Amino acid sequence: MSEVSRARDLVALHARSIFDRGLTHGSSGNISVRLSDGSLVVTPTGSSMGFLDPARISHIAAEGHLLSGDAPTKEMPLHAAFYDSRQGTGAVVHLHSCHSTALTLLPDVDSENVLPPLTAYSVMLLGKVKLLPFYLPGDPMIGEAIRGLAGKRSAVLLANHGPVVAGKDLMAAINAMEEMEATARLAILLRGIAVNKLTDEQVGQIVDRFAVQWDD
């Protein structure tokens, strides 16, 4: 089996899992994986992550043109921006997951670090999560905003839209995405309650122990 076929099968498998567990819905969300030659396997535009045909998943050349499969997601600018600006990115996942999106609607979140430090794993897997402004879906300006972070963030939240996470491979990106959604859910469940968040010292220990990119 070719690298392209294996990547398509892997994307379809994980996309179905994401869909079945309610982390995405309808035709929302998209996934990309970078192959050894720099080309990308990408979920097609208008497709449901729960019903992907692996053979129709887009294969995009490193230069950006379609090699095979259906036309790719209109959100290619945000995927390309992470690959171009963050070294070591092997996969990008973008969802419209409910709790993460809900955080972007609240008026008093810290736009530089949207997720409160509630658990060690949210710090370990996500670092600081930047809130980006609202852009129309597919707007190339989303990509420019991600490039403007100069590779210093592996995860962002798009206002009134949803989360985007980059990882070294697909499993890493999905694990980080699930951690974001779980932490966002905790943050909303505990909203208005005085909670024992991780202290600055504890966050610093996690950052040092697990080599988390944290400082701007």
Side-chain angles (χ1 to χ4, degrees):
M1 182 181 289
S2 70
E3 185 183 11
V4 174
S5 295
R6 288 195 301 272
R8 281 171 159 162
D9 286 346
L10 192 65
V11 166
L13 176 69
H14 286 289
R16 180 60 183 261
S17 173
I18 288 169
F19 182 88
D20 286 348
R21 289 179 292 127
L23 293 171
T24 193
H25 55 274
S27 61
S28 67
N30 33 82
I31 294 173
S32 66
V33 173
R34 193 174 203 171
L35 306 185
S36 59
D37 63 357
S39 65
L40 301 177
V41 163
V42 188
T43 50
T45 186
S47 60
S48 169
M49 297 243 269
F51 302 93
L52 291 174
D53 176 356
R56 298 180 63 180
I57 292 176
S58 314
H59 182 207
I60 309 296
E63 299 78 19
H65 60 274
L66 182 65
L67 294 171
S68 63
D70 292 346
T73 173
K74 62 179 171 292
E75 301 288 13
M76 278 303 299
L78 67 84
H79 289 262
F82 267 116
Y83 291 114
D84 291 346
S85 64
R86 186 169 174 84
Q87 187 175 9
T89 295
V92 176
V93 178
H94 167 46
L95 301 180
H96 299 175
S97 46
C98 183
H99 296 91
S100 298
T101 303
L103 278 187
T104 77
L105 311 180
L106 301 178
D108 56 350
V109 296
D110 179 357
S111 64
E112 293 299 318
N113 190 16
V114 183
L115 292 182
L118 299 177
T119 70
Y121 273 83
S122 68
V123 175
M124 289 164 55
L125 297 185
L126 296 162
K128 290 182 179 179
V129 178
K130 170 81 172 180
L131 177 63
L132 297 179
F134 173 75
Y135 299 98
L136 290 176
D139 190 333
M141 289 304 297
I142 300 177
E144 293 307 307
I146 291 171
R147 285 187 177 86
L149 301 175
K152 294 179 180 178
R153 296 287 180 267
S154 66
V156 299
L157 277 164
L158 307 176
N160 304 78
H161 189 163
V164 189
V165 172
K168 65 179 182 179
D169 54 33
L170 181 55
M171 198 71 256
I174 288 174
N175 285 344
M177 179 64 80
E178 293 186 13
E179 192 65 36
M180 183 187 292
E181 179 64 7
T183 305
R185 184 180 182 187
L186 279 175
I188 290 170
L189 286 172
L190 296 171
R191 190 167 173 79
I193 301 173
V195 297
N196 294 318
K197 295 185 291 186
L198 294 171
T199 65
D200 290 344
E201 180 180 1
Q202 289 168 331
V203 170
Q205 290 172 344
I206 296 166
V207 168
D208 291 343
R209 172 66 178 81
F210 296 99
V212 178
Q213 185 173 6
W214 190 257
D215 295 330
D216 293 334

